[in-house]
Amino acid sequence: MIPFEAPQDEGHQVYLPWIKWNSCQEHLEKELEEKFSQFGLLHRVVAHRSRYCHATQEESENIWFAYVIFYSTWDFNQALQQDGKMIIGDSKVRIKEKRSNRPYKKIMLPLYKAQELLTYYFGFNCWTSKVVYLEREREINKSDTLRYICMVRVRMPREELCSEGVGIGEALFDVASPISKGCSFTCAQRFAFYSAMQAAFSKFNIIRLRNGKITAEVDTTQCDPLVHDPAWDRPLLKVVVLFYLQMGFTLFSMSMMSSSEIFCAQMGYETL
């Protein structure tokens, strides 16, 4: 199973302790990505210059070490089998398993990484998204902060799966500057949408079977920062005109109004 989160060290990360490379870091990382991507999709490739204690200063400048991180443990095991066989630069390299005693901490994938992962296993146009709710939250104590709440729905039509995510976006603005407030509106909406999409994708899990089949499921145990009320999307009734006659009758014309506003009308409260 491949969850939509940053891979852990053990079972996902290989370590190359000694690489002789005469070019720059960027070219080495590109070379490693081309070599290891034959086993599966890579999450990250990192290379650093090593200070090899048994080499001269000139030789140590050309010695590097690197980490290659896979999403799938199967791809990781295939890469380990190339220990001492893979050639990078002009020499064969050792490939070892990276071990760590750090406690497990779930980190959601960035949105572009999550989309890349889903597209890699299910192809292009495998998902669609829809904004269900995007509104400003006005009950906030900070006068110089805008907050938006967004809910999105991501579907995988072929797998008949649907995942929903809720996100909150905040942006500061200068109270004395109308331009600053206008830019903050856009930023808060974008942050809320990005967070909601990230939360929706994080609920998917990819399942690879031994027979080569690939499927997916939605983790329904994950919690969102708030609960979305469907009544927000389709209000029932809205009071447009409300006035009283001297005879004690109440006349009002109605269109669409929410349940809370119906309660106000029944109790005789004025609805704005």
Side-chain angles (χ1 to χ4, degrees), residues 149-161:
I149 300 174
C150 179
M151 177 183 175
V152 299
R153 184 176 292 125
V154 178
R155 295 184 181 273
M156 297 181 66
R158 285 177 293 182
E159 284 68 29
E160 298 181 351
L161 294 176

Side-chain angles (χ1 to χ4, degrees), residues 129-134 150-153 193 197:
S129 64
K130 178 183 178 181
V131 177
V132 179
Y133 179 82
L134 178 61
C150 179
M151 177 183 175
V152 299
R153 184 176 292 125
F193 173 76
M197 288 287 289

Side-chain angles (χ1 to χ4, degrees), residues 28-185:
L28 175 57
E29 291 179 349
K30 185 177 180 180
E31 176 75 10
L32 291 170
E33 185 175 353
E34 292 178 356
K35 292 285 186 178
F36 283 93
S37 60
Q38 60 181 314
F39 306 114
L41 182 64
L42 305 179
H43 173 255
R44 190 181 180 191
V45 176
V46 182
H48 299 282
R49 194 181 301 274
S50 175
R51 298 302 176 184
Y52 193 60
C53 59
H54 298 291
T56 62
Q57 182 177 1
E58 182 178 355
E59 292 177 343
S60 63
E61 293 180 354
N62 296 327
I63 296 176
W64 301 71
F65 67 94
Y67 298 97
V68 181
I69 308 172
F70 292 89
Y71 287 102
S72 171
T73 55
W74 290 2
D75 303 337
F76 162 80
N77 290 325
Q78 290 182 6
L80 284 180
Q81 296 175 6
Q82 300 300 314
D83 182 23
K85 302 176 184 179
M86 182 179 293
I87 298 177
I88 297 179
D90 298 327
S91 59
K92 296 181 178 181
V93 296
R94 297 298 307 273
I95 303 176
K96 301 181 179 181
E97 180 180 358
K98 173 68 168 60
R99 298 185 179 275
S100 175
N101 296 324
R102 293 184 300 180
Y104 169 73
K105 181 180 179 181
K106 181 177 179 179
I107 302 176
M108 288 193 299
L109 288 175
L111 182 56
Y112 78 97
K113 285 282 188 182
Q115 294 173 345
E116 179 187 44
L117 180 59
L118 199 65
T119 303
Y120 178 83
Y121 284 102
F122 294 95
F124 291 99
N125 300 324
C126 64
W127 60 271
T128 61
S129 64
K130 178 183 178 181
V131 177
V132 179
Y133 179 82
L134 178 61
E135 293 292 338
R136 178 185 174 187
E137 184 180 3
R138 300 185 180 277
E139 296 180 2
I140 183 171
N141 298 328
K142 302 177 182 178
S143 59
D144 61 344
T145 303
L146 290 173
R147 176 183 295 171
Y148 270 82
I149 300 174
C150 179
M151 177 183 175
V152 299
R153 184 176 292 125
V154 178
R155 295 184 181 273
M156 297 181 66
R158 285 177 293 182
E159 284 68 29
E160 298 181 351
L161 294 176
C162 176
S163 175
E164 296 179 345
V166 178
I168 299 175
E170 291 186 355
L172 298 175
F173 67 93
D174 186 359
V175 181
S177 175
I179 298 178
S180 174
K181 189 172 183 179
C183 294
S184 298
F185 270 107

Side-chain angles (χ1 to χ4, degrees), residues 17-35:
W18 195 91
I19 307 172
K20 190 172 182 181
W21 187 258
N22 298 324
S23 186
C24 64
Q25 178 183 0
E26 182 181 357
H27 291 168
L28 175 57
E29 291 179 349
K30 185 177 180 180
E31 176 75 10
L32 291 170
E33 185 175 353
E34 292 178 356
K35 292 285 186 178

